[in-house]
Amino acid sequence: MPQRLMLLDTASLYFRAFYGLPDTIRRTDGTPVNAVRGLLDMIARLTTDYHATHLVACWDDDWRPQWRVDLVPTYKAHRVAEAKPGGTDVEVVPDALEAQLPMIRKALELAGIAIVGAAQHEADDVIGTYATHAAMPVDVVTGDRDLFQVCDDERQVRVIYTARGMRNLEVCTEETIVAKYKVLPQQYADYATLRGDASDGLPGVAGIGEKTAASLLLKYGTLDALLAAADTPDGGVSGPVRARLSAAAAYLEAAPAVVRLVRDLQLPAVEEAGALLEPVAGDRRAELERIATDWNLGGSVRRLLDALDLRAQPG
């Protein structure tokens, strides 16, 4: 089987699993397990349908890094449940999902699935680093548009976009991004900076929406080139747009570093991280089968084990 690396935006997927299945699915002690079930089923299907040979569950070691907040204070501010000065802010997560996160990690570890995070960085940055430096084709699974930045046809990096649900997955390539947003993947961070993103608390430039942002980047190529042209009397930037860019100057200086993925984290190599998918055997398999019963995980563990067993079969 040709090698192919799959990178999971894990939080994006377990949130989707949690809201996609009723939290009335519970263990005998009353703890919900809908997110655990849903995530394991997603992994079984995704790795099988997209022929992954390697898999990394990328983790938010810091879902709202302070260095990003220092640059743009509104960054994800609406999702803070409790501020932790000097530490990681507590994210708004339903109690019924919070209780499942240790179970998710344990199930993934028993299945031999690599979990990789990085201090003071988000899962997006882990994905950005692996996708940029991988020596094999890459599929990034996410519902986050920011990760469109990694699409690269030459290097065979694409995004499996989950925003429309697991029954309507969209395989995004450079062609897809251009068709939908009228910008190249390498322009997407500048596009998002100009347009803004309410889901991340990024205000964007007042008066510049998606169409204007795309048209400006089509003409000037990059945000830096646009700002340089706006500072030049004969740069071709209209008076109203120049005024809007000038009014947002402080934001435009800080925001690009917030929006752009970090692509140079010091992470374990794919093989060192244990990303190679293999059948689960011995004590780990027995423990997975035990928790399948004890945690009322239905057939999700069996489906995951079956998907991993396929890795032992030729072709």
Side-chain angles (χ1 to χ4, degrees), residues 100-117:
Q100 298 182 64
L101 299 186
M103 290 188 283
I104 286 172
R105 288 193 68 109
K106 181 172 182 178
L108 295 180
E109 289 165 357
L110 287 172
I113 293 172
I115 302 173
V116 180

Side-chain angles (χ1 to χ4, degrees), residues 37 39-45 47-48 106-113 277-293 297-313:
R37 275 196 188 190
L39 180 62
L40 297 184
D41 275 333
M42 288 177 182
I43 293 172
R45 176 189 164 186
T47 54
T48 300
K106 181 172 182 178
L108 295 180
E109 289 165 357
L110 287 172
I113 293 172
L277 291 173
E278 298 179 296
V280 183
D283 291 343
R284 287 195 295 111
R285 191 179 187 102
E287 180 66 3
L288 259 180
E289 290 172 339
R290 183 189 69 78
I291 67 172
T293 300
L297 297 180
S300 60
V301 166
R302 169 52 51 198
R303 286 185 285 272
L304 178 60
L305 288 171
D306 287 348
L308 295 174
D309 285 346
L310 290 173
R311 299 306 178 279
Q313 300 175 16

Side-chain angles (χ1 to χ4, degrees), residues 116-118 129-130 262-269:
V116 180
T129 297
Y130 277 131
V262 176
R263 296 174 181 252
D264 58 357
L265 292 175
Q266 296 300 306
L267 300 175

Side-chain angles (χ1 to χ4, degrees), residues 72-249:
V72 178
T74 58
Y75 182 64
K76 295 186 177 180
H78 59 296
R79 289 158 56 182
V80 176
E82 181 184 355
K84 293 280 190 178
T88 301
D89 291 338
V90 178
E91 185 179 11
V92 176
V93 177
D95 291 344
L97 174 55
E98 187 74 40
Q100 298 182 64
L101 299 186
M103 290 188 283
I104 286 172
R105 288 193 68 109
K106 181 172 182 178
L108 295 180
E109 289 165 357
L110 287 172
I113 293 172
I115 302 173
V116 180
Q120 300 176 19
H121 287 85
E122 302 170 55
D124 286 9
D125 301 314
V126 176
I127 291 170
T129 297
Y130 277 131
T132 299
H133 300 286
M136 64 185 81
V138 178
D139 285 331
V140 173
V141 185
T142 185
D144 185 350
R145 293 185 297 175
D146 286 341
L147 284 162
F148 290 156
Q149 297 173 52
V150 303
C151 289
D152 185 331
D153 289 356
E154 183 177 352
R155 298 190 57 253
Q156 300 184 66
V157 179
R158 59 189 188 176
V159 167
I160 311 299
Y161 191 47
T162 65
R164 295 170 56 205
M166 293 299 293
R167 293 183 180 179
N168 296 288
L169 296 174
E170 183 178 8
V171 178
C172 296
T173 62
E174 289 186 20
E175 182 180 358
T176 310
I177 305 309
V178 171
K180 184 175 288 189
Y181 299 104
K182 313 305 180 189
V183 296
L184 294 165
Q186 55 265 39
Q187 295 174 305
Y188 193 85
D190 287 348
Y191 168 76
T193 297
L194 287 165
R195 175 205 65 200
D197 189 340
S199 67
D200 280 341
L202 296 170
V205 177
I208 294 183
E210 293 189 353
K211 290 183 179 179
T212 303
S215 65
L216 290 170
L217 290 170
L218 176 63
K219 181 175 182 179
Y220 295 99
T222 67
L223 177 59
D224 286 344
L226 167 62
L227 294 176
D231 282 340
T232 304
D234 59 354
V237 181
S238 70
V241 170
R242 281 205 313 271
R244 289 166 185 149
L245 295 174
S246 178

Side-chain angles (χ1 to χ4, degrees), residues 9-51:
D9 180 2
T10 315
S12 171
L13 296 183
Y14 63 59
F15 268 97
R16 178 165 295 278
F18 176 76
Y19 287 111
L21 292 172
D23 65 6
T24 52
I25 302 172
R26 296 173 178 258
R27 301 189 321 196
T28 54
D29 66 0
T31 304
V33 293
N34 56 329
V36 187
R37 275 196 188 190
L39 180 62
L40 297 184
D41 275 333
M42 288 177 182
I43 293 172
R45 176 189 164 186
L46 288 162
T47 54
T48 300
D49 288 358
Y50 296 99
H51 309 293

